[in-house]
Amino acid sequence: MKIIVLKFGGTSVGTVERIKNVARIISKYSKQKYKVIVVSSAMGGVTNDLIKKSKLLSNDFSLSEYDVLVSSGEQMSCALIAGRLNHMGYKSQSWMGWQIPILTEGRHGSSRIIQIYKKKIMDFLKSGGIPIISGFQGISLDKRITTLGRGGSDASAIMLAKFFKAEKCIIFTDVEGVYTTDPNMIKSAKKISSISYEEMLEMASLGAKVMQPISIQDARLNRIDIDVKSSFKNKAGTLITKRKNISRNKIITGISFTKNDAKVTLVGVKDKPGVAASIFKPLSQNYINVDMVVQNISANGRETDLTFTIKSEDIKKTKKLIKNNRNIDFRNLLINKNVSKISIIGVGMITTPGVTFRMFQALAKKNINIQVISTSEIKISVLINKENTNKAVSVLHKEFKLYN
Ligand code: ADP
Ligand code: ASP
Ligand code: MG
């Protein structure tokens, strides 16, 4: 049985007309003798609205109720798709995570799929049915509804492809594929025909919203090829696959950016062994993700300045934890939200010297000051003033000739 998983994102199912379009795409694949499993996100904007409501009711909304609430958007879109397919004469039915069940573990709001029970869906496929499965949600061992983090329908699709040994997993979205940078921001961004899991994981983790990072990790672990393409235009998209399958090699494959970081600086920290651990321990215990870190060498050997970045939404909590931390001694706490992180990504940089220099020089020529730097084997990230985001991405796009 040739199984294919088709996932549709929020914009693709955003209106009644678009749901009709999605049903046409599904019918096309089912006529190609595939057994089709469909995964859908909520209609565009619905999840955001639900989150907004929870925040209006409490700034400490129960995480387990948050999951019940925000997973509800997918129920609506899945029923609409199944209903339309029924109207077109197809046998189709919607399934919520708990009905299958899709078992998850981990914290509410950021759970991970560990098991998908196949029997009911398999029987339905064999009977000629098209199951429409809600993305983004599952059920915990204690039978509470869970969600997989923002953009989590991508992870649902990949895990369904894994458990059902699908031949293909296609992610239908509102752009034609993965681009060298966000095509909605930089008009000269180019569609990438194929990209490695490693590069896609970095691009996604560093801000390219087009794929959820965890879904790429899962695809890489399970060697699942992903096609990313538009639900609006019938055009070739981007293949996310293993490095070996990719022939071209530019030095840099893509540029990502984030605008929701905040820079935290502790000025005049009493420098002694273990001080960094004392600062970061309570943050990690409270699920605050610390990203870039720099510690200045202390001039007198007694005091140092420590700078790191967090997500802006964690500022309040971070401030409180640092101020209440009796194990550290510092003179001042500075927080700057007016920053953005720009990253260049590419496996080509492993074998090409001088990439860092070219990046820094290109930014310097445009008078863009670099505040913090972090690197890995295949990426270089810099923190800059937020107002320079577009300028920086454009100049780097040109510097590394990503437009051709
Ligand atoms: P969906 O609702 O289909 O899951 P998302 O909004 O999650 O879609 O992701 C698609 C969006 O990702 C695009 O509209 C685009 O603005 C953004 N994006 C950011 N970086 C990139 C990139 N490098 N390539 C393609 N799209 C990108
Ligand atoms: N509807 C969810 C969200 O907006 C999941 C998804 O779109 O993948 O985050
Ligand atoms: Mg998405």
Side-chain angles (χ1 to χ4, degrees):
M1 183 154 64
K2 278 194 342 194
I3 295 179
I4 188 168
V5 173
L6 309 179
K7 180 254 165 177
F8 296 92
T11 315
S12 304
V13 295
T15 62
V16 165
E17 279 315 309
R18 287 177 179 177
I19 290 201
K20 287 183 187 168
N21 175 51
V22 160
R24 277 194 294 271
I25 296 175
I26 297 168
S27 92
K28 197 181 85 190
Y29 281 92
S30 85
K31 281 181 192 140
Q32 289 171 11
K33 302 279 174 264
Y34 280 116
K35 294 284 181 194
V36 181
I37 297 179
V38 175
V39 181
S40 183
S41 302
M43 295 170 91
V46 168
T47 313
N48 283 349
D49 275 353
L50 294 167
I51 294 175
K52 222 181 266 166
K53 287 194 172 79
S54 75
K55 286 189 174 149
L56 288 172
L57 289 168
S58 165
N59 53 18
D60 194 21
F61 202 87
S62 145
L63 268 182
S64 58
E65 290 310 325
Y66 168 95
D67 275 353
V68 178
L69 175 72
V70 302
S71 60
S72 63
E74 272 70 11
Q75 181 157 338
M76 177 169 41
S77 53
C78 287
L80 290 171
I81 298 170
R84 180 66 186 175
L85 286 168
N86 293 155
H87 170 85
M88 291 161 70
Y90 288 94
K91 177 174 175 180
S92 181
Q93 185 187 312
S94 61
W95 307 77
M96 299 302 102
W98 62 269
Q99 293 173 303
I100 296 176
I102 294 176
L103 205 61
T104 65
E105 66 175 15
R107 242 180 134 225
H108 277 287
S110 54
S111 294
R112 300 279 299 255
I113 295 173
I114 50 170
Q115 181 68 257
I116 298 178
Y117 290 90
K118 291 181 3 186
K119 173 126 183 35
K120 292 178 210 161
I121 298 293
M122 262 318 187
D123 289 348
F124 192 64
L125 286 172
K126 281 180 192 153
S127 74
I130 304 175
I132 316 295
I133 299 178
S134 61
F136 184 48
Q137 57 170 267
I139 184 173
S140 62
L141 277 172
D142 52 358
K143 300 202 163 37
R144 296 286 294 170
I145 290 176
T146 55
T147 61
L148 311 175
R150 295 308 308 271
S153 300
D154 295 333
S156 309
I158 301 300
M159 292 307 266
L160 282 159
K162 171 196 151 128
F163 281 99
F164 285 87
K165 297 193 171 51
E167 273 199 9
K168 253 175 186 274
C169 180
I170 307 182
I171 305 287
F172 284 95
T173 185
D174 56 4
V175 286
E176 283 179 34
V178 179
Y179 281 67
T180 49
T181 192
D182 188 344
N184 288 324
M185 187 177 105
I186 301 286
K187 292 294 160 231
S188 54
K190 282 279 165 292
K191 194 172 22 173
I192 302 170
S193 57
S194 53
I195 183 170
S196 65
Y197 296 119
E198 291 80 1
E199 290 170 316
M200 190 65 237
L201 181 56
E202 289 283 14
M203 278 189 69
S205 314
L206 295 165
K209 192 185 167 211
V210 62
M211 289 297 299
Q212 191 213 29
I214 288 162
S215 71
I216 303 299
Q217 239 171 17
D218 289 334
R220 179 185 173 195
L221 279 174
N222 298 293
R223 292 292 179 224
I224 295 164
D225 283 354
I226 308 169
D227 256 329
V228 183
K229 58 195 296 180
S230 165
S231 61
F232 305 125
K233 290 184 194 161
N234 188 11
K235 278 192 160 181
T238 300
L239 175 68
I240 306 172
T241 186
K242 50 180 179 266
R243 236 190 255 186
K244 262 195 1 214
N245 295 346
I246 297 168
S247 52
R248 66 100 193 96
N249 254 329
K250 287 206 169 207
I251 302 169
I252 298 304
T253 301
I255 303 173
S256 287
F257 55 90
T258 54
K259 290 184 178 172
N260 60 341
D261 293 281
K263 183 175 76 164
V264 182
T265 304
L266 276 88
V267 183
V269 184
K270 291 272 178 301
D271 199 10
K272 54 183 183 195
V275 66
S278 306
I279 293 167
F280 294 134
K281 188 176 168 192
L283 300 184
S284 84
Q285 282 170 337
N286 285 278
Y287 306 98
I288 293 168
N289 205 7
V290 171
D291 182 18
M292 308 167 102
V293 183
V294 266
Q295 184 176 346
N296 291 340
I297 300 167
S298 55
N300 56 15
R302 289 189 299 273
E303 277 189 354
T304 180
D305 295 343
L306 186 83
T307 296
F308 56 92
T309 60
I310 54 169
K311 291 285 158 241
S312 297
E313 70 215 36
D314 291 330
I315 291 178
K316 250 194 202 155
K317 246 184 175 176
T318 302
K319 251 186 186 169
K320 201 166 152 194
L321 287 165
I322 290 178
K323 289 198 166 149
N324 294 339
N325 189 339
R326 289 170 194 277
N327 297 319
I328 51 173
D329 198 356
F330 58 94
R331 266 189 285 123
N332 204 357
L333 173 65
L334 307 173
I335 295 193
N336 181 359
K337 276 207 301 188
N338 192 27
V339 290
S340 68
K341 184 173 62 177
I342 314 289
S343 308
I344 57 172
I345 297 120
V347 291
M349 73 171 76
I350 301 174
T351 47
T352 315
V355 177
T356 316
F357 163 72
R358 278 174 69 183
M359 179 184 195
F360 293 178
Q361 191 188 47
L363 295 173
K365 274 190 186 155
K366 291 280 171 194
N367 258 329
I368 298 170
N369 189 40
I370 298 172
Q371 303 179 20
V372 186
I373 302 163
S374 78
T375 63
S376 79
E377 203 184 24
I378 63 164
K379 73 113 205 275
I380 305 166
S381 301
V382 294
L383 198 72
I384 61 169
N385 196 316
K386 198 182 270 179
E387 69 198 26
N388 287 328
T389 311
N390 286 30
K391 202 163 53 161
V393 175
S394 293
V395 72
L396 294 172
H397 206 257
K398 281 203 191 90
E399 173 63 32
F400 293 101
K401 301 188 171 46
L402 293 181
Y403 44 76
N404 57 24

